[in-house]
Amino acid sequence: MSEPVIESMAEVRSHLADVIDRARREETPTIITRRGKQEAVVLDIQEYQRLRWLAEGAKEAWLNRLADEAESEGTDGSVSLEEMAALLRDQQD
């Protein structure tokens, strides 16, 4: 993946199709700014899916590690993996 291009919302609005093509064909993301603040990123859908897959894998590995630690410490005061996952989902909402 190439270094991202940084453009304002107004710039992106004037050539959105080019921004999308650049993300897809050149694998170059575009960081969109509004009033000088970074607000969003346009990137290729395959890269987005890869990042989601990595994040899910990292989250699952973390939950498994926590479950293993809890199991090795005994069951007093611990929660099941399903309960822990539900708690994490609730925190994200």
Side-chain angles (χ1 to χ4, degrees), residues 1 4-5 19 28-32 38-44 48:
M1 181 176 355
V5 173
V19 170
T28 302
T30 299
I31 297 173
I32 302 171
Q38 295 181 353
E39 295 281 338
V41 178
V42 175
L43 65 141
D44 178 62
Y48 169 76

Side-chain angles (χ1 to χ4, degrees), residues 28-80:
T28 302
T30 299
I31 297 173
I32 302 171
T33 63
R34 184 174 13 199
R35 296 183 186 96
K37 182 181 173 195
Q38 295 181 353
E39 295 281 338
V41 178
V42 175
L43 65 141
D44 178 62
I45 190 67
Q46 290 178 338
E47 180 64 8
Y48 169 76
Q49 291 168 339
R50 186 185 75 81
L51 292 171
R52 291 275 316 249
W53 181 81
L54 288 172
E56 287 297 319
K59 183 171 141 182
E60 187 174 320
W62 177 71
L63 287 172
N64 287 334
R65 192 170 53 251
L66 284 178
D68 290 344
E69 288 173 11
E71 192 174 296
S72 70
E73 293 174 2
T75 58
D76 291 341
S78 65
V79 296
S80 71

